Amino acid sequence: MEKQIWIAITFIAFLLSFTLVGIYSATQKQNTTTDYLLASRNVNPWLTALSAMATGQSGYLFIGVIGFTYKVGFASIWIPIAWAIGDYIAWWLIFRRLRLVSQETNSDTVSSFLGQENQGQKNQGRWIRIISALIIIVFLGTYASAQLVAASKGLNAIFGWNYQVGIIIGSVIVVAYCFAGGIRASIWTDSVQAVLMIGSLWVLFIVSLIACGGFGELWVKLNAIDPNLTNWIPANLRWGFVPYFLGWVVAGFGAVGQPHILVRGMAIDSADNVALARNIKFICGQMNSATAFGIGLTARVLLPDLMTSGDPELALPNLSIELLPTILIGLMLAGLFSAAISTADSQILSCSAALSQDLVPRATQSYRKVKIATLLVSGIVLAIALTANKSVFGLVIFSWSVLACGLGPLLVLRVWQKPVSLPVAITMMITGIVVSIIWNVGLNLSSAIYEVFPGMAAGFIVYGIANLGSRE
């Protein structure tokens, strides 16, 4: 009992430090919707990079990726490698122009950016904004709920609290962050949390690797548990390794459909600083992926019973309890919790922007109504989290794919300022989502090639066919 009290004290101390950062950021805010949604487009590239990394990796890294590596072994390494390649390409090709064009068109939200070109054409852009906003609220809201589930899993493993209690605590903290200063508070706290994520993962990885006896012993012990754990290539790939790997590269490129990441590119202080932010994000993100991969492997050796009588997604908190002193357990829990919350607050802000700026035009310039929208969206996300499937990995992968396929192709075309008519834009969004869902649920082909590939390809094919038809 005394140990749990000290863990709680350490955990709360870290959370209070994040809260202080959020409060300080509020002193820099302006009471305008643009400042609330985009921090007046004046975010330092270092903050942009660390925030984008934290909000992109989230509880998915601490809970989902480590749990997946625990189950699969060395073959799981190709997902973060391929994902990082695709993400880097997205930042290289898209994000600089996104910063430029979004300011030129005075777009404060992703949906307004997608519908901007069609404004003035009998207000056709309004329909694009409505449909894309609905997609964002439904599926990004589901994505945010996965973060609350991840946070609750950490609290459950260490304190034994009911999942619902952890979800409610997480949602209250998220609302507090959002109300403190909008996207600026989110970005500032994300950046501090990113540093904590990096440090906490390195600590647990080094301690757990030493406990396993080093790299050589880790390999030997994994091979003794199951020889498949030491295979570098995933088993039973239906179409082989290359399509599998390419599918995850495109998944990483799917960042172009994730509103909570896109707004970081829209909020950076200069398009000329996007390259610096991209490189910082890539380096820090790869460090986190490498340590999470290592923790998943060492957990399989040190905590073998999770596979049969526990939850592999609880590997990190359980490993922390086994190996670390009290203060470092609090550090790990704070790292996990902050990773989840840093993403959830960003996603809820993006959803509230879609609701207040794109679905309800009368609230566009109302700072108070934007905050009310944040509260409403938080309630929806809380409800989803309390009733959703408890697999963080599954929730995130599903939501990411739908957003990438529904919004990604159209955003790429808007960034490069290609003309897209209203019927084509709507057809692209709907076709991408339908194809990705059918590929996953109907055809069950996601293990062969991740559904973002066919879903995004379908969106671009719709545009290509329409473009050829218009020329003829």
Side-chain angles (χ1 to χ4, degrees):
M1 184 66 181
E2 183 180 351
K3 182 178 180 180
Q4 285 197 337
I5 291 173
W6 282 107
I7 293 172
I9 290 172
T10 307
F11 172 62
I12 292 169
F14 280 113
L15 290 186
L16 285 175
S17 69
F18 303 148
T19 304
L20 290 175
V21 172
I23 292 171
Y24 177 72
S25 73
T27 65
Q28 309 298 308
K29 72 178 181 179
Q30 303 169 29
N31 291 330
T32 65
T33 54
T34 299
D35 191 75
Y36 187 77
L37 300 175
L38 289 179
S40 299
R41 299 184 191 269
N42 194 32
V43 180
N44 176 284
W46 279 86
L47 295 180
T48 300
L50 291 172
S51 173
M53 183 210 72
T55 199
Q57 291 190 322
S58 67
Y60 164 74
L61 181 78
F62 275 72
I63 295 293
V65 170
I66 290 175
F68 183 72
T69 301
Y70 181 100
K71 292 186 285 187
V72 174
F74 277 89
S76 67
I77 196 172
W78 301 111
I79 293 180
I81 289 176
W83 197 295
I85 292 171
D87 182 75
Y88 192 89
I89 293 171
W91 276 78
W92 176 45
L93 291 178
I94 302 300
F95 277 73
R96 186 178 186 278
R97 288 191 58 82
L98 173 65
R99 174 63 177 84
L100 292 170
V101 178
S102 64
Q103 185 167 19
E104 289 173 4
T105 57
N106 198 30
S107 301
D108 288 346
T109 69
V110 172
S111 292
S112 65
F113 181 78
L114 294 176
Q116 185 67 39
E117 183 189 311
N118 297 84
Q119 296 294 346
Q121 300 177 20
K122 296 182 180 179
N123 205 25
Q124 289 184 354
R126 176 86 187 118
W127 287 105
I128 296 174
R129 292 180 69 170
I130 290 172
I131 294 171
S132 60
L134 289 172
I135 292 170
I136 290 169
I137 292 169
V138 173
F139 294 104
L140 195 61
T142 302
Y143 197 156
S145 73
Q147 307 312 316
L148 297 181
V149 172
S152 72
K153 282 194 171 191
L155 294 175
N156 170 265
I158 291 177
F159 297 122
W161 294 352
N162 185 283
Y163 279 124
Q164 283 74 15
V165 173
I167 288 170
I168 292 170
I169 290 174
S171 64
V172 170
I173 293 173
V174 166
V175 171
Y177 280 0
C178 292
F179 269 60
I183 195 69
R184 179 178 282 103
S186 174
I187 289 173
W188 284 30
T189 54
D190 285 359
S191 300
V192 176
Q193 291 163 348
V195 175
L196 178 61
M197 288 168 63
I198 294 169
S200 60
L201 285 171
W202 271 109
V203 167
L204 185 57
F205 170 61
I206 292 170
V207 172
S208 63
L209 184 62
I210 292 171
C212 287
F215 288 105
E217 283 297 309
L218 174 62
W219 179 279
V220 171
K221 290 173 181 177
L222 284 170
N223 194 63
I225 294 171
D226 183 352
N228 288 325
L229 293 174
T230 53
N231 288 338
W232 287 99
I233 304 299
N236 304 317
L237 294 178
R238 191 177 302 186
W239 295 342
F241 177 75
V242 173
Y244 172 84
F245 185 80
L246 184 60
W248 288 106
V249 171
V250 178
F253 185 79
V256 298
Q258 312 304 317
H260 59 298
I261 297 175
L262 293 169
V263 294
R264 265 78 185 153
M266 295 166 68
I268 195 170
D269 56 8
S270 169
D272 294 333
N273 286 330
V274 168
L276 174 61
R278 177 188 69 222
N279 292 333
I280 295 169
K281 177 183 180 295
F282 179 80
I283 292 169
C284 294
Q286 288 307 98
M287 284 196 297
N288 278 354
S289 294
T291 49
F293 173 73
I295 291 167
L297 295 177
T298 56
R300 185 63 187 268
V301 170
L302 299 171
L303 301 172
D305 292 341
L306 286 180
M307 195 66 190
T308 54
S309 58
D311 182 354
E313 289 196 339
L314 294 178
L316 181 140
N318 281 305
L319 199 59
S320 302
I321 293 170
E322 289 287 325
L323 299 178
L324 300 179
T326 301
I327 190 170
L328 292 183
I329 296 174
L331 170 72
M332 290 306 306
L333 180 59
L336 187 163
F337 200 83
S338 62
I341 298 306
S342 69
T343 301
D345 62 1
S346 305
Q347 293 167 332
I348 286 173
L349 281 169
S350 292
C351 289
S352 65
L355 175 60
S356 63
Q357 305 299 294
D358 303 307
L359 285 184
V360 186
R362 293 179 182 177
T364 301
Q365 298 303 320
S366 173
Y367 183 64
R368 182 178 65 85
K369 289 180 180 178
V370 173
K371 286 198 165 187
I372 292 173
T374 300
L375 200 58
L376 288 173
V377 169
S378 298
I380 294 170
V381 170
L382 174 61
I384 296 172
L386 290 172
T387 58
N389 182 306
K390 293 300 184 286
S391 169
V392 174
F393 190 86
L395 282 172
V396 169
I397 290 298
F398 172 75
S399 303
W400 180 281
S401 65
V402 171
L403 290 165
C405 299
L407 306 179
L410 181 57
L411 184 126
V412 170
L413 294 174
R414 291 298 198 218
V415 161
W416 290 99
Q417 297 180 297
K418 301 296 182 182
V420 186
S421 67
L422 173 66
V424 173
I426 293 174
T427 304
M428 286 176 66
M429 289 189 285
I430 294 174
T431 301
I433 292 173
V434 170
V435 168
S436 67
I437 292 175
I438 290 176
W439 191 269
N440 184 335
V441 180
L443 301 177
N444 196 27
L445 290 174
S446 293
S447 59
I449 184 167
Y450 182 45
E451 63 263 22
V452 171
F453 187 107
M456 291 191 75
F460 285 118
I461 288 170
V462 168
Y463 173 74
I465 292 172
N467 204 32
L468 287 174
S470 65
R471 288 180 182 177
E472 292 177 1

